[in-house]
Amino acid sequence: MTANRASDTGDAGADDGTDGALLRAVERFASLMAEAGLPRMAARVYGYLIIGPADGLTAPELAAGLRVSPAAISGAVRSLVQMKLLVRER
């Protein structure tokens, strides 16, 4: 899945180093997007795809990176695709 670039776990700061900093940045981005009306999990996925370490992550990679269930990723991706903020690639 690739971002078109034109529920809070509460443990985003639990890690030290790059992963912790990435998750904190994603949570800050998600908070802003949620205030603008985007569903929280969709905002987290979108933020991770924009800020994260790689372009074109799979659903299992997103779930592992965000420390959420694959079901949460599935719903968020569906929302983002419907809003045309995300493109699914196979």
Side-chain angles (χ1 to χ4, degrees):
M1 282 158 265
T2 306
N4 286 340
R5 292 184 189 230
S7 92
D8 188 6
T9 62
D11 67 351
D15 282 346
D16 291 333
T18 316
D19 287 343
L22 171 61
L23 290 176
R24 285 189 300 275
V26 167
E27 291 302 328
R28 283 192 302 270
F29 177 86
S31 291
L32 292 171
M33 296 301 288
E35 286 179 23
L38 196 65
R40 180 76 177 170
M41 184 54 63
R44 291 182 73 208
V45 169
Y46 192 54
Y48 193 81
L49 287 167
I50 291 173
I51 300 168
D55 193 24
L57 297 171
T58 64
E61 290 168 337
L62 286 169
L66 289 170
R67 300 179 189 152
V68 298
S69 73
I73 296 298
S74 177
V77 166
R78 186 173 29 259
S79 294
L80 291 167
V81 168
Q82 289 174 347
M83 291 182 261
K84 302 202 185 309
L85 293 173
L86 191 72
V87 176
R88 263 183 219 208
E89 297 177 351
R90 298 195 185 251

